[in-house]
Amino acid sequence: MNTISAKYKKDFNMDKSIEEKLVIRNKRFQSRLMLGTGKYRNIKEAVESIEKSEASIITVAVRKIEYLKKIGKSNLIDFLDWNKLWLLPNTAGCQTAEEAVRLATLGIEMNKKLGQLENNFVKLEVISDSKYLLPDPIGTLKAAEYLVKRNFTVLPYIYPDPILAKQLEEIGCHTIMPLGSPIGSGQGLQNFYNIKVIIENTKVPIIVDAGIGQASEANAAMEIGASGILLNTAIAKSGQPKLMAEAMKLSVISGRKCYTSGIMTKQIQGQASSPYYGIPKLQ
């Protein structure tokens, strides 16, 4: 039989939701994996890992780029194909809202220089804690409100506080980025239930950012409904970054498909998968 019967066509065809794209402020992205660009052993390794990951969005610290330009040193941004990638400049290193706003503005200029004239995305980081690198909620909210009013597409990095996440959504942030655990720690999803609450209570995409150390953790975040994952150290500091980049790509895809397909309800008792009829009764 060469054709699919009408009865099965809908199921076979294609649950389109499984293949849906990540959408942030009407911009569609092929991949739900985002990558940072720091900590690699060399530029070649970074470029090859990013290519292997097939990530669509790459985040770069504005402060680092400005510094490298000042000293005349090569930087990774010059070696990537920005016709295929979307730059997400970030305000890493900012301790105040005012600093973050200034770097965000420089980040948009950086987007334009790469030819991404419509790219007004910025990853907002305000971190005054130099030991644990936990984001400042008040500074983040203040800077986000200012930038949103000026038509920036703001992706704020936050501690997984459901109330703060909702406030940021309500002022106009198009994505929320709660941390799994501290930046670069590799501790995984230490804030699993808070992240789950944020996902349930907000309508914008939720990108789990920071702390992911292995593929199973990225997968777990996607299985509870995260819209994507942003990571860096897990790949850059692994023994084989290219291989780890591929593992992270597959784990994000797998987790999303699992979530979208509808996970079975857990049961207290075992449920037989084979029928009981035909089994002789014991006397």
Side-chain angles (χ1 to χ4, degrees):
M1 190 174 181
N2 295 325
T3 59
I4 304 169
S5 69
K7 180 180 178 181
Y8 296 106
K9 190 171 183 179
K10 181 179 179 181
D11 292 334
F12 181 87
N13 199 22
M14 355 244 70
D15 189 350
K16 296 293 185 184
S17 61
I18 291 179
E19 302 301 332
E20 68 182 348
K21 305 296 188 293
L22 171 64
V23 179
I24 300 175
R25 199 178 186 179
N26 299 320
K27 176 70 177 177
R28 296 167 65 86
F29 299 98
Q30 186 71 29
S31 173
R32 292 178 178 272
L33 176 61
M34 308 177 184
L35 292 188
T37 53
K39 302 182 180 180
Y40 285 96
R41 297 172 184 89
N42 53 64
I43 289 178
K44 180 176 181 292
E45 188 174 75
V47 172
E48 290 177 346
S49 298
I50 290 169
E51 289 176 349
K52 198 71 173 178
S53 76
E54 297 184 8
S56 300
I57 300 175
I58 305 300
T59 186
V60 177
V62 177
R63 189 183 297 274
K64 182 178 179 181
I65 297 301
E66 291 298 306
Y67 172 74
L68 291 174
K69 284 182 179 178
K70 188 178 292 184
I71 64 175
K73 190 174 180 180
S74 296
N75 61 75
L76 178 58
I77 200 172
D78 297 324
F79 294 86
L80 296 174
D81 184 354
W82 296 108
N83 291 316
K84 297 179 180 178
L85 299 171
W86 189 254
L87 179 61
L88 177 61
N90 72 63
T91 63
C94 293
Q95 297 186 336
T96 67
E98 291 73 20
E99 282 184 282
V101 166
R102 183 179 66 82
L103 279 193
T105 303
L106 291 175
I108 299 305
E109 292 303 314
M110 196 160 68
N111 292 342
K112 291 178 180 178
K113 288 178 181 178
L114 292 176
Q116 298 184 2
L117 302 181
E118 298 179 358
N119 184 351
N120 61 356
F121 282 45
V122 62
K123 181 189 174 190
L124 177 62
E125 297 184 25
V126 182
I127 301 175
S128 55
D129 168 25
S130 60
K131 183 176 183 180
Y132 297 103
L133 302 180
L134 297 176
D136 173 0
I138 298 173
T140 300
L141 187 61
K142 181 180 177 182
E145 190 166 20
Y146 180 93
L147 292 169
V148 165
K149 287 179 179 178
R150 282 150 184 81
N151 203 38
F152 285 68
T153 300
V154 182
L155 290 73
Y157 169 67
I158 66 167
Y159 186 83
D161 176 350
I163 304 303
L164 175 61
K166 194 64 181 176
Q167 290 172 330
L168 287 163
E169 178 189 19
E170 288 173 350
I171 67 170
C173 291
H174 291 84
T175 297
I176 310 296
M177 307 184 79
L179 59 87
S181 53
I183 295 172
S185 69
Q187 294 178 31
L189 299 176
Q190 294 296 314
N191 300 285
F192 184 88
Y193 291 103
N194 280 30
I195 292 171
K196 194 170 183 180
V197 171
I198 291 172
I199 292 168
E200 291 173 355
N201 287 349
T202 52
K203 297 178 182 179
V204 297
I206 304 301
I207 309 297
V208 176
D209 175 16
I212 298 294
Q214 52 195 26
S216 59
E217 294 159 357
N219 185 271
M222 296 301 295
E223 285 184 350
I224 62 171
S227 298
I229 302 292
L230 194 155
L231 54 84
N232 178 198
T233 309
I235 293 176
K237 291 299 183 182
S238 67
Q240 298 185 57
K242 285 195 295 181
L243 187 59
M244 183 61 81
E246 184 175 22
M248 290 299 182
K249 175 188 74 173
L250 295 173
S251 71
V252 169
I253 293 171
S254 173
R256 181 65 184 180
K257 286 181 180 288
C258 180
Y259 170 75
T260 310
S261 64
I263 299 171
M264 65 171 285
T265 302
K266 292 182 180 180
Q267 306 288 334
I268 295 175
Q269 295 179 316
Q271 302 287 324
S273 57
S274 299
Y276 283 106
Y277 57 81
I279 299 176
K281 294 182 179 180
L282 295 176
Q283 300 299 325

